[in-house]
């Protein structure tokens, strides 16, 4: 961190580096706004972050510490920084993480040694990974705090493509959709190729499923008749068998049994609409974890002159009483920085200024490191989404994402499994029943063929969707972003970012494509010195060096020598490739 | 704040860049051409062509030049150096294929290089193809090249079958893969060796020889697996035609035996007519007539000058050879090429005689779908009916059902078949004429079957919506044909195969053209009421029929022609009864 003072004037100051904040930072910076983007933490992305194994261990420790110091810390910082009337306790709220329950089971550490000998006899090929190895190879892990996937035609993918931010990251397809049914993990046939290859469906079921999937893309009179009635009822009236109903309801629409038909159909359509763009499933996952995405947007912001400071916060806001606008902020080093707009992550906002809506909702999360996949297949490098319907009445539906080492989120020989559900009780209460059923843990004994859990973590996180973004008792030019929600998509964060950007700069384009590096004019060294030092450790080739046009030379000659008959075919094949190109590395 | 070039600036820069590139390109091209003219084969020439081809891989002249240079280098360098040069060429080609994966020039060059490489690395080539096909599984250039690689490197057939499994698994709308499968299966799972039917040629003394001559049949067990696979495809997507085509191949694998199906001899006309099981050219396949042990020098003619290939051939015997009724004659016609023949005896007192294939004609028409076990066909029909219940308007399914029904019991299923044809014409109106023709063919086949059972020489198929006539070679012996009340527009040249025809009833059609009434030696009566014969010239072919006595032309446009009767009397002097 540079010791010198920051510039004292910005257009926008943004506190918090979560996804929505990072997107809006990139958007402002891209259209020429001067952006200061700070985060109290020592890492990017806040609750959206990904950690190495060791990083996660420190994070866990931090939660314990912060919860124990919560009361004192709050008072202390509040007193020291309370020279602003409108915003107080900013850092305090950052410390009061919503992680209320953090339960760590280190299964393999204590039990790994002795039984190893017995096990190695029964499965000689498999060598158990012990805790020391996890720590030693900890850098190979990228463990996300939130578990989401990118819908291939969702707003995040569209934004990545539109803004050229996609060039900063690589993506992998989710290779299969699985579901837990009658105590077994089954593959959900969702694409045409899956349906064709499925061994569990009869040919008649295949036809019925395909016909339903095709027909539900258009709205019909029949569908309208089911408005307000459960989707499940609609499905069973379509003469679809139990297994097809299960697939459609839980894995494709991903809704509950009492979701109304129109909602169920809408999410079914969204799922189907996303199929085939980048592969056989509707989802993409960023290599190195979801924490990459906010960082990519931060990078874009920095490329366009945004200034970054980690371990740096804003302690208070200076509010002009007459206009009720925030004129400036005082940062954690006591510097006054004037700004026209202030964007803040919800957790920084003091409680007395929040419009607390409903009792806060939570998401229950579990992170497992396991030794094998929940469903074996020819390829070990499968990335799977597993839907687990409520295992008993009153239990939440659980969503599980199993990542393989090729996603660069776990060490070879392991799988990283994320479980997510809406909290009913604590994360442990909500998720451990699913874990004991589907995995082999010290608590589950008859699961010889299930993957063993090497390490696991449970925690609850505030559900951002339960947080009001508007209506807080705050100056009019202060905008609040909620933290991550429990849903599978990134819609909410991207939508929030876009709507706030449009509110502030209604006439500007939201994240227009970044220019190609060769179109940027570098005049002297003025630009380099301002941004350079505070920027996060820039990865190489900031501007991206992909070239789209190759072999342009002699296009005239090409036409002359080319064969006319080929034209049509070229075009046919080109479309797909073009789309892939558009997304940079999205297609791997 | 970042400064970005304006669009005009960018355009200008791009334009300049292009200009520069073009200049370089043209200069290099000219240099190449002059070098080639001078016959220079050096590294610099390789470099220059590489530079040009990497930006435009479809420049065939340059590839030729490159090959000349490489061939020259082969003569002056040792093997290791040659290997190295060609390996460099391969990696250059890979970069060309990245620019344009469908460049004829690059793929051809790659095939050429791979074939000349002293120590080829086929595994690498195969993986290149796989990568290429994973990007575009229908790149036919790559398919071609891959076939060559597989052939050269001797990839085991089962491995290749696995390869098609993979491609079909990822996208079954890929006819290349299905087709490839159909070539692999007979090699991997040939039909069990026992002879399928006693009437066939005796099995050859040698065991099943090399692939090309081997039968295209697949053993029963594997076939059942294939039925299952392909059913998965068409139940998943019944509109995908590649799977249906493959299914047709699976079902229709019978090869019709080649033989002389009929020999007919007429004492009166002193003529022999021969029908073969498929259209042939009599001269080139060596049709040979032996009369009473003496090979005859006869001139084989097809029944109509337009037909160069025809199943029916005729020849006139020298006058007086067989005209005496008291003599008995034995004829043999040889199809030398196929080592097959047919005998026919003309007994004393008989004016004509014939000998025809005794096998039921049922078999003849089933060659569309195989002589597969009935039980299998029956269960396939059930599956298709099941699909049809779910997709009542799917044309592929309907058509397949029709074919299966025909294979199983053409007469028994006639009613259903007709109903399905009606649906087909509605749902696929663009091809309704095709369906009408197909339906006509099936109706004719059914009528032939009925005629065979009744052992008569009368063929009656009136009021069946016929749009076309076919299988006329089967009607060689027919004396009386009734095709009235159909939708025929012409009597095609093939119609002349009805060499025994005496009476033609063709009232109430839309016939405009009588070309097929060509030199029919016995034709006496032609009924063409209510057709579309419009000019006297259309009646010209009738003049070649010497015995024509009755002609009904009522209700034809031609009937209004002035002086028609006079003209007709001139044109057709033999006609006694003319109805106008």
């Amino acid at each position: 961190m540079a010791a010198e003072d920051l510039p004292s004037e910005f257009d926008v100051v943004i506190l918090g580096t979560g996804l929505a904040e990072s997107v809006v930072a990139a958007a402002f910076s891209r259209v020429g706004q001067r952006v200061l983007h700070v985060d109290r933490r020592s890492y990017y992305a806040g609750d959206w972050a990904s950690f190495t194994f060791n990083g996660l261990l420190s994070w866990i420790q931090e939660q314990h510490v912060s919860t124990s110091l919560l009361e004192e810390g709050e008072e202390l910082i509040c007193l020291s920084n309370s020279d602003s009337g409108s915003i107080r306790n900013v850092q305090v709220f950052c410390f009061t993480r919503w992680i209320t329950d953090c339960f760590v089971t280190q299964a393999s550490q204590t039990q790994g040694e002795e039984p190893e000998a017995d096990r190695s006899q029964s499965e000689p090929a498999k060598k158990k990974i012990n805790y020391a190895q996890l720590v030693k190879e900890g850098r190979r892990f990228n463990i996300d705090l939130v578990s989401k996937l990118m819908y291939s035609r969702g707003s995040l993918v569209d934004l990545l493509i539109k803004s050229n931010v996609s060039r900063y990251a690589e993506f992998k397809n989710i290779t299969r959709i699985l579901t837990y049914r009658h105590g077994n993990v089954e593959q959900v046939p969702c694409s045409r190729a899956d349906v064709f290859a499925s061994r569990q469906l009869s040919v008649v079921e295949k036809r019925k499923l395909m016909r339903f999937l095709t027909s539900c893309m258009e709205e019909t009179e029949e569908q309208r008749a089911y408005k307000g009635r459960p989707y499940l009822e609609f499905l069973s009236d379509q003469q679809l068998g139990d297994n097809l109903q299960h697939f459609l309801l839980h894995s494709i629409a991903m809704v509950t049994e009492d979701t109304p038909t129109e909602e169920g159909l809408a999410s079914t359509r969204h799922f189907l609409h996303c199929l085939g763009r980048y592969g056989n499933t509707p989802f993409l996952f960023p290599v190195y974890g979801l924490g990459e995405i906010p960082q990519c947007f931060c990078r874009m912001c920095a490329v366009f002159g945004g200034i970054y400071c980690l371990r740096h916060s804003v302690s208070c806001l200076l509010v002009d009483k007459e206009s009720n606008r925030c004129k400036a902020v005082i940062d954690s080093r006591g510097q006054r920085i004037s700004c026209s707009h202030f964007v803040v992550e919800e957790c920084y906002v003091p409680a007395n200024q929040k419009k607390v809506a409903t009792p806060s909702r939570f998401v229950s999360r579990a992170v497992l490191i396991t030794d094998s996949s929940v469903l074996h297949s020819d390829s070990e490098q499968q990335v799977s989404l597993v839907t687990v319907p409520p295992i008993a009445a009153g239990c939440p539906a659980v969503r599980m994402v199993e990542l393989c080492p090729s996603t660069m989120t776990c060490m070879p020989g392991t799988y990283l499994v994320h479980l997510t559900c809406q909290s009913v009780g604590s994360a442990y209460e909500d998720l451990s029943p699913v874990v004991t059923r589907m995995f082999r843990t010290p608590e589950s004994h008859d699961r010889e063929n299930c993957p063993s859990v090497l390490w696991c973590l449970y925690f609850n996180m505030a559900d951002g969707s339960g947080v009001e973004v508007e209506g807080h008792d705050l100056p009019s030019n202060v905008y609040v972003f909620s933290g991550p929600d429990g849903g599978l998509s990134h819609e909410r964060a991207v939508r929030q970012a876009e709507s706030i950007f449009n509110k502030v700069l209604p006439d500007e384009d939201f994240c227009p494509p970044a220019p190609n590096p060769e179109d940027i004019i570098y005049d002297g060294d003025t630009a380099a010195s301002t941004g350079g030092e505070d920027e996060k450790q820039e990865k190489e080739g900031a501007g991206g060096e992909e070239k789209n046009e190759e072999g342009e030379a002699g296009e005239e000659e090409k036409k002359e020598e080319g064969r006319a008959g080929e034209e049509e075919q070229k075009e046919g094949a080109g479309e797909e490739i073009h789309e892939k190109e558009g997304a940079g590395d999205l297609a791997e | 704040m970042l400064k970005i070039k304006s669009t005009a600036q960018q355009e200008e820069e791009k334009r300049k860049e292009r200009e520069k590139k073009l200049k370089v390109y043209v200069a290099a091209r000219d240099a190449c051409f002059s070098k080639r003219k001078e016959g220079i084969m050096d590294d610099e020439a390789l470099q220059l062509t590489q530079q040009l081809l990497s930006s435009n891989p479809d420049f065939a002249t340059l590839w030729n030049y490159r090959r000349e240079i490489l061939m020259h280098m082969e003569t002056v360098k040792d093997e290791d150096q040659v290997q190295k040069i060609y390996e460099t060429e391969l990696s250059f080609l890979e970069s060309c294929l990245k620019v344009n994966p469908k460049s004829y020039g690059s793929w051809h060059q790659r095939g050429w290089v791979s074939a000349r490489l002293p120590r080829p690395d086929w595994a690498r080539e195969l993986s290149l193809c796989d990568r290429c096909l994973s990007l575009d599984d229908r790149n036919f250039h790559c398919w071609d090249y891959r076939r060559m690689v597989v052939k050269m490197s001797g990839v085991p057939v089962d491995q290749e079958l696995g390869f098609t499994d993979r491609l079909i698994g990822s996208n079954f709308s890929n006819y290349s893969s299905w087709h490839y499968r159909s070539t692999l299966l007979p090699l991997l799972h040939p039909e069990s060796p026992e002879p399928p039917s006693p009437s066939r040629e005796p099995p050859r003394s040698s065991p099943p020889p090399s692939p090309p001559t081997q039968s295209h049949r697949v053993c029963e067990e594997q076939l059942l697996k294939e039925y299952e696979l392909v059913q998965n495809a068409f139940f998943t997507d019944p509109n995908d035609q590649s799977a249906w085509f493959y299914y047709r191949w699976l079902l229709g694998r019978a090869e019709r035996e080649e033989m002389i199906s009929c020999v007919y001899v007429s004492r009166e006309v002193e003529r022999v007519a021969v029908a073969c099981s498929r259209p042939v050219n009599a001269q080139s396949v060596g049709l040979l007539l032996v009369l009473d042990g003496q090979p005859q020098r006869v001139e084989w003619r097809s029944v109509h000058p337009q037909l160069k290939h025809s199943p029916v051939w005729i020849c006139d015997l020298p006058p007086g050879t067989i005209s005496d009724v008291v003599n008995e004659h034995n004829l043999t016609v040889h199809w030398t090429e196929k080592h097959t023949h047919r005998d026919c005896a003309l007994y004393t007192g008989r004016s004509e005689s014939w000998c025809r294939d005794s096998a039921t004609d049922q078999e003849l028409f089933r060659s569309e779908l195989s002589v597969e076990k009935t039980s299998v066909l029956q269960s396939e029909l059930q599956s298709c009916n099941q699909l049809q219940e779910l997709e009542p308007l799917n044309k592929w399914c309907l058509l397949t059902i029709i074919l299966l029904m025909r294979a199983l019991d053409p007469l028994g299923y006639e009613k259903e078949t007709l109903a399905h044809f009606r649906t087909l014409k509605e749902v696929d109106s663009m091809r309704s004429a095709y369906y009408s023709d197909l339906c006509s063919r099936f109706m004719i086949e059914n009528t032939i079957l009925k005629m065979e059972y009744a052992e008569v020489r009368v063929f009656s198929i009136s009021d069946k919506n016929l749009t076309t006539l076919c299988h006329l070679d089967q009607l060689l012996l027919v004396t009386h044909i009734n095709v009235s009340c159909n939708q025929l527009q012409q009597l095609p040249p093939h119609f002349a195969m009805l060499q025994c025809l005496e009476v033609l009833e063709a009232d109430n059609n839309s016939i405009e053209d009588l070309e097929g009434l060509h030199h029919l030696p016995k034709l006496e009566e032609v009924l063409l009421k209510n057709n579309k014969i419009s000019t006297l010239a259309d009646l010209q072919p009738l003049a070649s029929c010497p015995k024509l006595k009755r002609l009904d032309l009522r209700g034809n446009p031609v009937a209004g022609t002035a002086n028609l009767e006079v003209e007709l009397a001139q044109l057709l002097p033999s006609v006694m009864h003319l109805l106008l």
Side-chain angles (χ1 to χ4, degrees), chain A residues 32 192-193 196 203-204 206-207 210-211 304 518-519 521 523 552 555 557-558 561 563 566 569, chain B residues 2-3 5 18 25 29 55-56 58-59 102 104 140 171 173 232 235-238 387 390-391:
Chain A
R192 190 165 166 270
F196 170 64
V203 286
V204 173
K206 289 181 181 196
R207 183 80 290 272
M210 284 301 286
R211 200 163 55 160
F304 285 88
E518 62 267 25
D519 295 333
I521 302 168
D523 47 1
E552 217 175 47
E555 236 168 42
E557 272 77 2
K558 230 185 231 178
E561 302 275 331
R563 286 165 207 246
E566 273 284 84
Q569 289 194 343
Chain B
L2 214 59
K3 282 186 199 160
K5 292 170 190 164
R18 278 171 112 119
Y25 183 90
R29 184 195 61 189
S55 61
N56 176 14
D58 286 322
F59 204 148
K102 290 189 172 178
Y104 284 85
F140 64 87
N171 177 10
S173 301
N232 274 323
F235 268 85
T236 304
D237 184 357
L387 178 59
L390 296 165
E391 300 290 324

Side-chain angles (χ1 to χ4, degrees), chain A residues 234-383:
Chain A
F234 175 70
L235 292 178
S236 66
D237 288 354
Q238 300 295 307
Q239 315 292 320
L240 300 164
D242 279 350
N243 52 348
L244 296 182
Q245 285 179 34
H246 177 103
F247 294 152
L248 286 163
L249 187 79
H250 298 295
S251 305
I252 292 178
M254 287 182 271
V255 294
T256 59
E257 298 197 348
D258 44 7
T259 306
T261 300
E262 63 272 21
E263 239 175 80
L265 278 169
S267 42
T268 306
R269 285 187 198 124
H270 185 46
F271 183 101
L272 296 174
H273 191 58
C274 292
L275 276 177
R277 188 177 196 183
Y278 299 116
N280 269 343
T281 73
F283 304 109
L284 292 175
F285 184 79
V287 177
Y288 299 105
L290 286 164
E292 287 292 294
I293 303 293
Q295 293 194 56
C296 290
F297 282 99
C298 289
R299 196 164 161 203
M300 174 63 93
C301 175
V303 166
F304 285 88
I307 291 179
Y308 277 82
C309 294
L310 290 182
R311 294 190 201 87
H312 199 108
S313 188
V314 169
S315 46
C316 48
L317 306 181
L318 297 177
V319 182
D320 182 65
K321 281 195 173 168
E322 253 175 66
S323 61
N324 189 30
R325 285 176 71 84
C326 169
K327 287 165 71 184
V329 299
I330 309 287
D331 76 359
S332 48
R333 270 189 252 132
Q335 188 187 347
R336 174 181 168 129
I337 299 166
S338 62
C339 66
S340 326
H341 300 280
F342 180 66
V343 178
V344 61
E345 195 190 330
E346 183 268 339
C347 70
Y348 287 83
V349 179
N352 56 354
Q353 252 132 349
K354 260 190 216 173
K355 184 187 163 199
V356 181
T358 45
S360 302
R361 291 204 298 182
F362 286 87
V363 174
S364 292
R365 291 271 293 111
V367 176
L368 319 181
I369 298 172
T370 66
D371 65 345
S372 61
S373 173
V374 288
L375 184 66
H376 291 284
S377 73
D378 299 340
S379 162
E380 295 206 328
Q381 300 299 321
Q382 299 271 15
V383 189

Side-chain angles (χ1 to χ4, degrees), chain A residues 29-33 191-199 201-204 206-208 210-211 280 303-305 515 517-523 527 549-563 565-566 569-570 573 576-577 580, chain B residues 1-5 9-10 13-14 18 21-22 25-26 29 54-61 99-105 135-136 140-141 168-173 178 228-238 240 386-387 389-392:
Chain A
S29 171
R30 176 68 188 84
V31 297
Q33 299 281 305
S191 70
R192 190 165 166 270
D194 286 350
V195 174
F196 170 64
S198 168
R199 291 184 183 281
L201 298 182
S202 73
V203 286
V204 173
K206 289 181 181 196
R207 183 80 290 272
K208 283 183 172 169
M210 284 301 286
R211 200 163 55 160
N280 269 343
V303 166
F304 285 88
E518 62 267 25
D519 295 333
I520 297 173
I521 302 168
Y522 302 96
D523 47 1
E549 16 152 28
E550 287 170 351
E552 217 175 47
E555 236 168 42
E556 288 82 351
E557 272 77 2
K558 230 185 231 178
K559 273 178 201 156
E560 214 173 275
E561 302 275 331
R563 286 165 207 246
E566 273 284 84
Q569 289 194 343
K570 268 184 211 162
E576 225 179 85
I577 292 166
K580 284 177 184 170
Chain B
M1 174 56 200
L2 214 59
K3 282 186 199 160
I4 296 154
K5 292 170 190 164
Q9 267 174 313
Q10 286 180 28
E13 262 182 32
K14 268 188 189 154
R18 278 171 112 119
K21 276 183 180 174
L22 184 62
Y25 183 90
V26 169
R29 184 195 61 189
S54 58
S55 61
N56 176 14
D58 286 322
F59 204 148
T61 315
V99 176
N100 177 6
K102 290 189 172 178
S103 154
Y104 284 85
L135 292 173
D136 176 2
F140 64 87
H141 303 269
I168 291 170
S170 70
N171 177 10
F172 61 82
S173 301
W178 289 112
E228 198 186 318
L229 181 74
V230 76
Q231 273 179 19
N232 274 323
F234 65 65
F235 268 85
T236 304
D237 184 357
D240 182 80
Q386 206 173 20
L387 178 59
E389 262 171 49
L390 296 165
E391 300 290 324

Side-chain angles (χ1 to χ4, degrees), chain A residues 82-95:
Chain A
S82 62
D83 44 344
S84 143
S86 56
I87 298 275
R88 279 175 298 173
N89 306 335
V90 169
Q91 280 187 315
V92 176
F93 273 90
C94 283
F95 277 99

Side-chain angles (χ1 to χ4, degrees), chain B residues 74-236:
Chain B
E74 266 182 45
T75 61
V76 296
K77 310 237 171 175
D78 66 34
E79 197 191 287
D80 282 349
Q81 283 171 316
V82 170
Q83 172 81 12
K84 216 166 167 193
I85 290 171
Y86 277 137
E87 274 174 6
T88 323
E89 183 73 0
L90 285 178
S91 62
F92 163 57
L93 281 164
E94 204 170 321
S95 67
C96 290
L97 290 173
K98 273 181 196 156
V99 176
N100 177 6
K102 290 189 172 178
S103 154
Y104 284 85
S106 318
W107 282 109
H108 180 250
Q109 180 81 349
R110 197 167 186 96
W112 185 83
V113 170
S114 290
R116 298 183 80 88
L117 197 62
R119 293 184 297 278
D121 180 357
W122 296 116
R124 181 194 55 200
E125 294 306 298
L126 214 55
S127 82
L128 174 103
C129 291
D130 290 359
R131 248 182 304 146
C132 210
L133 287 177
S134 72
L135 292 173
D136 176 2
D137 51 14
R138 289 184 272 201
N139 183 341
F140 64 87
H141 303 269
C142 183
W143 272 101
D144 271 349
Y145 180 65
R146 198 178 179 286
R147 272 190 279 274
M148 174 208 147
V149 171
V150 167
K151 199 171 151 200
M152 300 291 274
S153 58
V155 178
V157 178
D158 56 338
Q159 207 174 310
E160 285 300 282
L161 196 70
F163 169 72
T164 66
D165 278 336
R166 269 205 318 285
L167 284 189
I168 291 170
S170 70
N171 177 10
F172 61 82
S173 301
N174 185 338
Y175 196 66
S176 305
S177 307
W178 289 112
H179 172 71
Y180 194 26
R181 232 181 143 71
S182 73
T183 64
L184 297 170
L185 282 173
L187 302 179
L188 198 60
H189 303 282
E191 192 185 39
S192 44
E194 80 247 33
S197 76
S199 70
R200 298 200 169 250
E201 297 171 51
R204 290 186 203 89
S205 50
S206 57
S210 53
T213 53
Q214 205 176 349
S215 119
H216 299 296
R217 291 161 161 258
V218 179
C219 75
E220 203 71 39
E221 191 190 0
Q222 184 63 30
L223 266 181
L224 291 175
K225 282 187 202 157
E226 294 300 306
Y227 286 138
E228 198 186 318
L229 181 74
V230 76
Q231 273 179 19
N232 274 323
F234 65 65
F235 268 85
T236 304

Side-chain angles (χ1 to χ4, degrees), chain B residues 63-78:
Chain B
W63 286 119
N64 284 339
Y65 184 26
R66 239 180 131 68
R67 281 194 285 273
E68 286 164 18
I69 300 168
L70 291 169
M71 278 162 82
H72 168 73
M73 288 187 167
E74 266 182 45
T75 61
V76 296
K77 310 237 171 175
D78 66 34

